[in-house]
Amino acid sequence: MAAFDVVVLGGGTAGVHVATEVAGGGKTVALVEAGLIGGESAYLACLPSNSLLLSAGRGEPWEDAVARRAEVTGGLDDSAAAQRLSRAGVQVIRGTGRITAPGTVEVTRAQDAPVPAAAGATARRARGPPPLTNAPVSIAPGGARAAPPIEGLSDIPAWTTAQSLSSPDLPRRLIVLGGGPAGCELTQMYASFGSQVTLVEAEPRLLPGEPAFAGEILAVALRRAGADIRLGSRATKAERTADGLTLALEDGTRIDAARLLLASGRRPRLGGLGLDVLGLEVTPGMALPTTTRCEVAGTGGQGVRVWAAGDVTGTTHTHASRYQADVVAANILGRHREADYSAIPRCVFTTPSVFAVGAIPGGAGVTTGAGDGDDPGADHGPGNGGRTRRMLRIARPPSAEAAAEAAAEAAAAEGTAEASPVAQGGSGPRLVTARARLGDTARGYLGQDDLGRLELYADAGTGVLAGAVAVGPDAASWMSEVTLAIRARIPVAVLADVVHAFPTYGEALQTALRELAGTGDSPARADQQEKRTGTLSELDIETPEDDAIEQRQEVIADEAVASPRREVPFDVNEADAAEQERAVGFDDDDYR
Ligand SMILES: Cc1cc2nc3c(=O)[nH]c(=O)nc-3n(C[C@H](O)[C@H](O)[C@H](O)COP(=O)(O)OP(=O)(O)OC[C@H]3O[C@@H](n4cnc5c(N)ncnc54)[C@H](O)[C@@H]3O)c2cc1C
């Protein structure tokens, strides 16, 4: 029986990262992988999907895009990744691992397990690997798509996202089931290459886990790309036809297509891991409960530590998997480290893209995680992090009450070009919202951006940002300062004093931040004074207003030392906002 200091179960993003870091720290490490070393992200999810989206954006023909995808994913050959691990000192064992006792992992040889790889990918299979014992185990088996309850599904031509992203076929007519991040990305991608795409989403809007405006704007963008978007009706029955299939929705609609792409119902992969021998009871759809140190909750006291990272814990993004892997590795190496989930970005790489981070109004707030596989948003989408990750759940769509509140706010904002802070309730922190439209910035005007918009959510109790959602070109890039602000808990008053380059989308952030801090001074602002509930500085709440003012004064004082501060009006855009709005011809009705 081979003994290692650490055994890593699953060699995707999280597993490879844990193994490499821990080996680098001087431990002996075995990594057990049933499929491709590197997991989904590199071969069957993020990279091929983003490669195809970028090819579509460049206007490449499908064949060229597929060739580029093959280049990016290395032709599904993971031998280079396996070699990198070996060079890092990790022993790679090809096969399916199962925990048979605390600290013991048995491996079934790879040839008995499905390996979705081309020739070469399976070259390094181990022959009859022995059980691995007496080691802390790091579990990182990722997630998998669960079949939705549709009658006849097994009889029709259907793809999982992984199958679609490794197929050379471009279906003439395609139904995408699920309006979460992957469903939206794949809809736009196939529509851009000329497929006639119908997206079916049971919820009344796309991206159900995010604030309504994000999904509403995306629906406009996807329709402009030529896709047919069917919201609010569940698919119930599928039948094979001579040309492919017919999908029936509960509202009576029937849709014909050559193929169905399943982009809903992703869930943590917990089956077959042997978690019962650790005393863990798992049910389909649940995520592996972990502590802030990423140790599997309820496994202490067995003499061997068990850790977990990646989608199996309910996170839904590659960067979140890597972050947790860092935390696991640090703890295994004896450096106490806790994960902070307050600012894990959630991205949709459509055009325009969607970027969300932290808490959202009506969502589960900063104390929640992600991972209910039945939620169509549970692709690589929503997943508001919480400091304690126990039973991880995806942020739910707002309740009827919260939805009505949001609608009322949207109505109040109608016809204005300004951010309009509104205090909102909910189960998490009390949030104050400020909004801005990208079309009101010079960059948006130049780019003729009539859709882009952002919302910032500040914690009324602490005066720091708690979350944000933006829709716009490459939003992940220019919103990254918000991620930093949330994670570093920088007071809104300080953020409002940050200078953003002209002409950039950062100026929309500036507008919203100043509105939150109560320092905006645009022409439309005076009109809004009546409408809004209050800014952080105006609300009679625990806002550390004095602290904020002090900090603002400190910033100004610091600036005075570094360079004389020139008092100028906030920005050119705000003065020109009304003019620009007319010029761009923005119309809220476009997406409401
Ligand atoms: C279509 C799509 C697009 C996406 N796009 C993005 C994106 O743009 N950005 C982003 O951040 N995220 C994206 N994601 C999410 C991202 O792919 C995942 O968050 C990430 O891959 C999770 O990594 P992981 O290590 O937890 O799991 P995985 O990468 O799934 O790795 C788990 C590995 O464990 C192996 N395994 C499982 N069970 C066993 C066992 N018993 N024994 C041995 N091995 C086992 C599996 O074979 C697998 O290789 C996307 C997801 C999808 C579906």
Side-chain angles (χ1 to χ4, degrees):
M1 201 178 273
F4 293 85
D5 292 336
V6 180
V7 178
V8 179
L9 200 48
T13 300
V16 165
H17 201 66
V18 170
T20 308
E21 291 295 304
V22 170
K27 304 270 187 195
T28 56
V29 184
L31 178 139
V32 184
E33 170 54 51
L36 293 167
I37 304 287
E40 272 211 322
S41 178
Y43 308 98
L44 301 165
C46 321
L47 291 193
S49 152
N50 280 279
S51 172
L52 290 170
L53 283 163
L54 288 171
S55 287
R58 289 192 295 267
E60 291 171 11
W62 173 249
E63 293 71 22
D64 292 2
V66 167
R68 175 66 184 143
R69 181 186 69 187
E71 210 179 320
V72 164
T73 57
L76 303 190
D77 178 353
D78 67 351
S79 46
Q83 277 163 20
R84 272 196 302 277
L85 275 178
S86 297
R87 277 199 301 274
V90 176
Q91 176 156 351
V92 175
I93 299 176
R94 302 278 189 178
T96 302
R98 182 182 175 86
I99 300 167
T100 51
T104 301
V105 173
E106 282 189 8
V107 184
T108 306
R109 294 198 307 180
Q111 49 263 51
D112 302 327
V115 179
T122 56
R124 288 175 152 261
R125 283 175 180 164
R127 286 187 186 281
L132 312 162
T133 192
N134 293 332
V137 176
S138 175
I139 302 176
R145 202 160 293 284
I150 298 175
E151 189 187 332
L153 189 62
S154 55
D155 301 328
I156 57 155
W159 268 338
T160 61
T161 52
Q163 286 167 332
S164 82
L165 288 170
S166 50
S167 168
D169 296 343
L170 178 65
R172 197 173 53 79
R173 299 184 76 181
L174 176 71
I175 300 171
V176 175
L177 193 70
C184 291
E185 288 176 356
L186 294 175
T187 293
Q188 190 168 62
M189 185 272 283
Y190 281 110
S192 305
F193 284 113
S195 287
Q196 201 177 319
V197 186
T198 304
L199 185 157
V200 175
E201 165 57 55
E203 297 287 333
R205 64 170 196 263
L206 299 177
L207 305 183
E210 298 294 352
F213 82 93
E216 287 164 359
I217 294 178
L218 214 48
V220 175
L222 296 182
R223 286 187 174 119
R224 285 182 184 174
D228 183 7
I229 310 295
R230 302 292 179 100
L231 301 172
S233 193
R234 194 172 291 277
T236 52
K237 191 174 177 188
E239 283 172 279
R240 185 179 273 279
T241 62
D243 296 333
L245 71 127
T246 294
L247 187 71
L249 310 188
E250 63 188 354
D251 66 4
T253 309
R254 292 174 71 83
I255 308 164
D256 295 325
R259 197 172 275 281
L260 177 70
L261 199 173
L262 301 169
S264 68
R266 211 175 149 72
R267 55 179 51 167
R269 190 187 278 130
L270 293 176
L273 297 174
L275 296 173
D276 50 328
V277 304
L278 300 175
L280 295 173
E281 274 181 39
V282 293
T283 51
M286 75 173 275
L288 205 52
T290 52
T291 66
T292 50
R293 295 181 69 195
C294 295
E295 185 163 12
V296 178
T299 55
Q302 297 177 351
V304 184
R305 320 282 305 249
V306 185
W307 309 86
D311 282 8
V312 74
T313 70
T315 59
T316 54
H317 279 78
T318 297
H319 45 264
S321 301
R322 234 173 8 219
Y323 177 58
Q324 289 182 313
D326 271 339
V327 172
V328 168
N331 282 305
I332 288 176
L333 293 173
R335 296 191 297 265
H336 182 100
R337 188 165 168 199
E338 294 188 24
D340 182 317
Y341 296 101
S342 60
I344 307 287
R346 313 183 289 278
C347 307
V348 190
F349 292 101
T350 42
T351 303
S353 61
V354 179
F355 175 89
V357 60
I360 54 170
V366 288
T367 53
T368 62
D372 185 330
D374 292 333
D375 194 308
D379 280 311
H380 59 288
N384 301 342
R387 280 193 60 76
T388 305
R389 299 177 66 78
R390 296 196 59 80
M391 190 55 209
L392 300 155
R393 293 191 62 77
I394 198 160
R396 286 279 167 207
S399 61
E401 196 184 4
E405 200 180 25
E409 289 158 16
E414 192 96 2
T416 72
E418 282 298 298
S420 58
V422 182
Q424 293 170 301
S427 56
R430 189 170 170 223
L431 298 180
V432 179
T433 301
R435 304 184 174 88
R437 291 176 186 164
L438 302 194
D440 292 345
T441 64
R443 168 62 69 187
Y445 174 59
L446 295 168
Q448 299 190 326
D449 188 335
D450 62 340
L451 291 180
R453 182 167 158 185
L454 67 85
E455 289 190 357
L456 300 182
Y457 314 114
D459 182 339
T462 60
V464 299
L465 280 185
V469 178
V471 184
D474 200 15
S477 301
W478 50 268
M479 285 292 284
S480 61
E481 71 179 79
V482 174
T483 308
L484 171 66
I486 295 171
R487 179 63 184 85
R489 302 180 61 72
I490 302 171
V492 165
V494 176
L495 296 172
D497 202 54
V498 171
V499 177
H500 292 84
F502 173 87
T504 64
Y505 288 122
E507 290 178 292
L509 261 180
Q510 194 164 305
T511 302
L513 285 166
R514 287 176 174 180
E515 199 67 27
L516 276 179
T519 58
D521 71 344
S522 69
R525 194 176 132 74
D527 299 342
Q528 288 181 27
Q529 296 289 342
E530 295 301 309
K531 284 186 198 163
R532 69 179 182 221
T533 311
T535 62
L536 277 176
S537 56
E538 289 164 342
L539 290 169
D540 183 21
I541 48 179
E542 299 161 47
T543 309
E545 195 184 359
D546 292 342
D547 284 0
I549 290 167
E550 236 169 65
Q551 276 158 2
R552 189 170 157 73
Q553 281 163 349
E554 277 165 20
V555 171
I556 292 168
D558 287 345
E559 277 180 0
V561 173
S563 62
R565 186 169 190 266
R566 211 156 50 95
E567 288 295 338
V568 291
F570 280 143
D571 52 44
V572 238
N573 308 324
E574 285 179 0
D576 288 337
E579 180 67 21
Q580 286 174 12
E581 195 186 2
R582 273 196 301 279
V584 171
F586 184 89
D587 182 358
D588 248 357
D589 289 334
D590 273 354
Y591 60 89
R592 284 190 191 286

